[in-house]
Amino acid sequence: MIKKNNSNPKVKQKQKQQKPLPSTARNVALSVLLATEQQEAYANLALNRFLSQVEFAPCDKNLTTQLVYGTLRYLGTIDFLLSGFIKKDFSAVEDYLRWILRMAVYQMFYLDKVPVHAIINEACEQAKVLGHQGQVNFVNGVLRNLDRNKDKITYPTWSEQAAIGKKYLQIMTSHPGWLVDYAWDLFGGEQCKAFLESNNQTPRFTCRVNTLKTSKADLMKQLQSLGISVEPCDYASDGIVLVTGGHGLEDIPAIPEGALQPQGESSMLAAQALSPAPGSMVLDLCAAPGGKTTHLAQLMKNEGTIIAQDVHEHKVKILERNCKRLGAEIVRPVLGDSCHLRETYYEQFDYCLADVPCTGLGILSHRPDIRWRKDIGNIQELAALAEKILDQGARALAPGGVMVFSTCTITREENIDQLEKFLARHGDFQLESMVDFFSQVTDDKLKNQLAKGWWQILPHVEGLDGFFIARLRKKG
């Protein structure tokens, strides 16, 4: 788990005296990685914050992003590699030295465009700015020794025998032990391996075409004219896959103009499964930052009302900005706790989207730091929170209304078990087929699952973010 190391008071004192680093891609990446531990910041938010403070060319932004996410993605493997070349307890090493070493090892083992001597020199320069000569020598010695002996490193081997296989997966796919154990029990050996390996794949860059401002065909032509390769998503009707090449997001005017919204394909499928009718009353229980909310407005052709509620004030402000940019005029952002809805909401809504808080274990390819933040206890904790929100959503729906329950995780407790418990508590609800909302699906096995009213999307099966989506109707 990425958390602040306060075990050594001397280390804590040195952290307060850290000197500013020059604004280079590697130094900004190091600052982001330090923030994930010292401030327990989320990597994506810290990365956006630090990048907003510098003027980088697209290539430098891309390198910074790659260094941050790559180091976090392979953190378990990197620490395994370093463990054989550091005599003292690695956790007692100063925070900045650990991240300097980790980022250097990531470059040495996973990037092939930078010479090793340049990587080591850069790491030593960072140690020189933040520390003292003894620490420079330490970094230099560890990295050069590792480079000289990398061919002698003994790696664990794969086996479906649990004791051997789990050790292999923990080190070679870079996941915490508890998650390896959980996935092994959930999927079995080979499927567990496939799931964990899928989390280390670079995800496709997908966006939603905002049909409130343009058509899918017109926008695809516009992007192609910019030299951007584009194709339709597999299942999301309004989704497209982009291969931007050397283009940065700032080179795509459709994004700030609100005609295009970066969004994962699985995320688009939740709103698509609800597909509220134009003119209806909709409640979005956990709305911020607004990707699904604005998609709902799009599907409704900006006709009707969407009450978009979130418990965090700063997130409601982000939601407001996104609605304005995307032209989602029917959305009414509201600050409120969806575990305790106001009574005036009861039986007032035709549709409800309950995209509930979850462990996020389905989006590890996008958010590699999540695997180091969560633990087994978070599953039950978040399932209990989601249960309260779902019960409130049930009360908000009018008879005959529809609710979509969704998460971005893969655990039974948060998904299918949660659904079964909800149906046991609420005899006035029943699952409803989703086949008509996913016309792109041709696979008979998947159609049969959709006909049951729920879909567990798995990264190693569908090649998408792991999501759970269920469509429920309240009996009239």
Side-chain angles (χ1 to χ4, degrees):
M1 188 172 181
I2 303 176
K3 57 184 179 180
K4 191 170 181 179
N5 177 15
N6 289 329
S7 59
N8 188 332
K10 293 183 179 179
V11 171
K12 188 176 180 181
Q13 181 66 26
K14 287 178 183 177
Q15 289 170 0
K16 293 180 180 180
Q17 298 176 355
Q18 285 176 9
K19 303 170 188 175
L21 290 160
S23 296
T24 66
R26 287 176 175 80
N27 288 341
V28 172
L30 176 60
S31 297
V32 173
L33 292 168
L34 281 167
T36 65
E37 180 165 359
Q38 295 178 352
Q39 302 166 26
E40 298 186 25
Y42 287 99
N44 62 324
L45 300 179
L47 180 62
N48 291 337
R49 174 163 57 89
F50 279 99
L51 284 178
S52 69
Q53 298 169 4
V54 294
E55 294 184 6
F56 274 178
C59 60
D60 289 322
K61 286 186 177 180
N62 290 339
L63 177 58
T64 305
T65 302
Q66 185 177 30
L67 291 173
V68 169
Y69 287 143
T71 303
L72 290 170
R73 182 172 288 123
Y74 295 106
L75 186 60
T77 312
I78 289 168
D79 282 0
F80 165 76
L81 292 168
L82 284 167
S83 65
F85 297 89
I86 296 177
K87 295 180 181 179
K88 58 181 177 179
D89 181 6
F90 192 40
S91 65
V93 175
E94 287 84 348
D95 291 353
Y96 57 84
L97 289 181
R98 277 187 283 114
W99 288 110
I100 287 171
L101 289 168
R102 287 165 167 168
M103 192 166 68
V105 172
Y106 168 69
Q107 295 172 82
M108 290 168 63
F109 282 79
Y110 296 97
L111 300 183
D112 55 8
K113 293 184 179 179
V114 185
V116 172
H117 68 85
I119 295 170
I120 295 175
N121 287 342
E122 289 278 356
C124 288
E125 281 300 313
Q126 290 175 324
K128 185 176 180 181
V129 172
L130 296 177
H132 52 76
Q133 188 57 45
Q135 293 173 334
V136 174
N137 295 340
F138 170 70
V139 168
N140 183 64
V142 170
L143 294 179
R144 291 193 182 280
N145 195 18
L146 177 57
D147 181 50
R148 284 194 300 268
N149 294 281
K150 60 185 178 184
D151 294 335
K152 300 177 183 177
I153 297 172
T154 301
Y155 294 94
T157 56
W158 166 244
S159 168
E160 278 208 86
Q161 182 181 338
I164 299 173
K166 288 180 180 180
K167 181 180 180 182
Y168 169 90
L169 293 172
Q170 185 174 345
I171 292 172
M172 301 308 294
T173 72
S174 185
H175 286 78
W178 75 266
L179 183 51
V180 172
D181 289 341
Y182 185 92
W184 189 285
D185 293 341
L186 182 64
F187 299 124
E190 284 292 345
Q191 288 297 302
C192 171
K193 182 173 180 285
F195 165 68
L196 297 175
E197 288 176 343
S198 73
N199 295 333
N200 293 333
Q201 300 299 311
T202 301
R204 302 187 304 176
F205 178 46
T206 58
C207 291
R208 170 170 53 86
V209 177
N210 182 9
T211 54
L212 294 175
K213 296 197 172 188
T214 187
S215 71
K216 186 174 178 180
D218 287 346
L219 188 54
M220 289 178 72
K221 288 179 182 177
Q222 178 187 335
L223 293 170
Q224 288 166 347
S225 71
L226 296 173
I228 296 172
S229 175
V230 58
E231 60 184 38
C233 282
D234 296 328
Y235 306 107
S237 300
D238 296 320
I240 55 176
V241 182
L242 281 68
V243 180
T244 58
H247 294 274
L249 295 186
E250 63 275 6
D251 297 326
I252 306 177
I255 293 178
E257 292 169 358
L260 192 65
Q261 171 67 14
Q263 188 174 358
E265 181 173 3
S266 294
S267 174
M268 299 181 222
L269 301 181
Q272 188 170 319
L274 188 61
S275 288
S280 55
M281 284 286 293
V282 179
L283 176 62
D284 189 348
L285 287 169
C286 306
K292 299 178 187 68
T293 311
T294 52
H295 192 189
L296 293 173
Q298 174 179 325
L299 294 169
M300 295 167 67
K301 298 178 170 50
N302 252 346
E303 299 173 12
T305 301
I306 300 174
I307 303 297
Q309 181 160 293
D310 201 273
V311 71
H312 301 289
E313 185 174 4
H314 71 284
K315 289 186 177 181
V316 172
K317 292 179 179 177
I318 295 172
L319 170 63
E320 290 173 343
R321 291 197 295 269
N322 283 329
C323 288
K324 183 177 181 181
R325 177 174 60 85
L326 295 163
E329 298 171 353
I330 62 171
V331 176
R332 290 172 51 193
V334 173
L335 178 65
D337 182 0
S338 292
C339 290
H340 306 283
L341 289 183
R342 58 190 73 178
E343 292 185 9
T344 54
Y345 282 2
Y346 292 169
E347 297 196 346
Q348 296 301 306
F349 294 90
D350 306 303
Y351 298 89
C352 176
L353 177 61
D355 184 57
V356 297
C358 68
T359 50
L361 300 179
I363 57 172
L364 297 183
S365 62
H366 289 281
R367 298 282 306 282
D369 55 321
I370 288 178
R371 69 187 78 180
W372 310 115
R373 291 183 173 280
K374 303 297 183 182
D375 59 46
I376 193 69
N378 294 134
I379 296 175
Q380 292 293 349
E381 174 188 341
L382 288 164
L385 175 62
E387 181 178 307
K388 294 178 182 178
I389 295 172
L390 287 170
D391 285 347
Q392 290 296 297
R395 299 184 76 173
L397 276 179
V402 175
M403 178 164 65
V404 161
F405 155 46
S406 64
T407 74
C408 58
T409 194
I410 50 87
T411 71
R412 285 194 59 90
E413 294 88 339
E414 296 173 275
N415 294 337
I416 190 64
D417 289 355
Q418 181 81 272
L419 176 62
E420 290 175 352
K421 290 177 181 178
F422 176 86
L423 290 169
R425 292 194 308 275
H426 298 275
D428 55 340
F429 274 81
Q430 62 186 18
L431 285 164
E432 187 169 80
S433 171
M434 297 190 292
V435 171
D436 292 342
F437 303 104
F438 300 104
S439 58
Q440 296 92 330
V441 173
T442 57
D443 180 74
D444 288 338
K445 184 177 180 181
L446 180 51
K447 277 187 175 181
N448 289 336
Q449 184 177 357
L450 291 171
K452 295 177 181 178
W454 60 274
W455 184 7
Q456 175 65 75
I457 305 171
L458 296 172
H460 59 293
V461 177
E462 282 89 0
L464 307 178
D465 287 338
F467 255 66
F468 183 82
I469 301 170
R471 181 181 167 96
L472 299 137
R473 186 175 291 275
K474 191 172 188 178
K475 299 174 185 177

